[in-house]
Amino acid sequence: MTLSEQIVYGMVKPTKYKELIGLPTRRSVGYVAVMMLILCLVGYIVPVSSSIAGFGGFTKLFTEEMPKLEYNSDTLKSTGPFMMSINGVHILINTEAEEVEESRMRAEGVYIAIGAKKLCLNLSYGGKVDSYGKMSLKSLLPEGFNNDTLVDAIPYIYAYLVLGLIVSAMSYFIKYAFFALILSVALKLLVRQLDLELSFGKLFMISFYGQSLGFILSNFNSALGLVPGFIVSGIGIFITVHMITTAIASMKGSTAN
């Protein structure tokens, strides 16, 4: 069985799950890795790449799009305000006061707000702004910091983005592995009643395969914002239950024959 067949069967052919769980462990690991790559592509790589392309790259951003910045004598000075949004994170610079006022944080999302003397981390949601910490710029910026300093830091920014990709992949895996674990426990009780001999590891992979189409649809919808999330989540749960029960029923049927 090729990897492409494994992916197609895992997403839309529950009657093939008996063959899938019989594959070597490395093939199961490969399937999980491909699914995480697809989710990261939709939920992280495409949005971040689009944002970077939108402002023409970091060099252009720091030298042409951003106002002139300079940090001296414990105070950041800027020739004007600046705001940029990447994948739900808003970077806001306004040095008119020591810290940025919460009234400027109107759009929903996470804010990294930089004032003349303080950096504030805030979350705006439902018309309310919550503070999650403040830091003095003195502990963050070196004396003489300016736009050229940001240009020199571009390699480190890309390294941070790669780290963010890894963290994103891990968070997706933890999320869906946790759901697969819960489903596996429920399936363990079901297969006992049906007299099916399936190890917990195989039940885990059945559960993971069964979730595949649902979580792909859910994350594509989150990226595109086509349908309210709760509707797609409900559809995803229905698909997952259908895929898993169909797979178990087909295994029971083949055993009976």
Side-chain angles (χ1 to χ4, degrees):
M1 184 185 296
T2 65
L3 178 60
S4 59
E5 288 176 328
Q6 185 183 2
I7 293 171
V8 171
Y9 293 163
M11 293 183 65
V12 298
K13 287 279 188 178
T15 55
K16 293 286 188 177
Y17 282 12
K18 185 176 181 179
E19 296 178 36
L20 293 177
I21 62 175
L23 294 173
T25 302
R26 60 182 176 80
R27 296 292 300 276
S28 297
V29 173
Y31 180 86
V32 172
V34 169
M35 289 296 105
M36 296 306 101
L37 178 61
I38 293 173
L39 294 179
C40 286
L41 180 65
V42 175
Y44 185 88
I45 297 175
V46 171
V48 171
S49 299
S50 297
S51 297
I52 294 174
F55 53 70
F58 286 110
T59 300
K60 181 180 179 181
L61 172 68
F62 296 149
T63 59
E64 299 179 26
E65 302 296 328
M66 290 184 68
K68 297 299 180 182
L69 302 173
E70 187 173 3
Y71 182 74
N72 286 304
S73 303
D74 299 338
T75 302
L76 179 66
K77 296 180 180 179
S78 170
T79 56
F82 174 78
M83 181 170 175
M84 179 181 69
S85 299
I86 300 179
N87 205 24
V89 177
H90 309 294
I91 300 173
L92 178 59
I93 300 175
N94 192 307
T95 59
E96 295 176 355
E98 289 191 3
E99 61 183 75
V100 179
E101 298 175 353
E102 293 182 355
S103 60
R104 297 181 181 274
M105 306 175 195
R106 299 185 183 91
E108 292 191 347
V110 175
Y111 278 84
I112 301 174
I114 303 171
K117 291 184 178 291
K118 293 182 181 179
L119 180 149
C120 302
L121 182 63
N122 296 75
L123 174 65
S124 177
Y125 183 77
K128 181 182 177 183
V129 178
D130 293 321
S131 176
Y132 286 87
K134 299 179 182 180
M135 296 182 67
S136 171
L137 293 183
K138 186 176 182 179
S139 62
L140 298 172
L141 303 180
E143 188 75 9
F145 170 90
N146 56 29
N147 297 68
D148 291 335
T149 309
L150 289 172
V151 173
D152 293 338
I154 289 176
Y156 300 100
I157 295 174
Y158 279 113
Y160 173 79
L161 292 176
V162 171
L163 178 62
L165 174 63
I166 295 171
V167 172
S168 178
M170 291 178 61
S171 66
Y172 280 128
F173 173 73
I174 292 171
K175 176 181 178 180
Y176 291 109
F178 176 72
F179 288 137
L181 186 64
I182 294 175
L183 290 169
S184 300
V185 173
L187 283 180
K188 190 69 176 177
L189 300 175
L190 177 62
V191 296
R192 282 179 181 174
Q193 296 179 355
L194 297 176
D195 294 324
L196 287 173
E197 296 295 331
L198 294 171
S199 67
F200 193 83
K202 290 183 177 181
L203 291 176
F204 179 88
M205 282 311 301
I206 290 173
S207 300
F208 200 94
Y209 283 124
Q211 290 184 92
S212 298
L213 181 58
F215 62 58
I216 291 293
L217 290 176
S218 178
N219 283 276
F220 264 96
N221 181 71
S222 295
L224 299 175
L226 299 176
V227 181
F230 72 92
I231 296 178
V232 179
S233 295
I235 294 173
I237 293 172
F238 174 81
I239 292 173
T240 298
V241 172
H242 170 73
M243 299 288 277
I244 292 174
T245 53
T246 300
I248 296 297
S250 67
M251 293 177 193
K252 179 61 178 177
S254 63
T255 303
N257 293 333

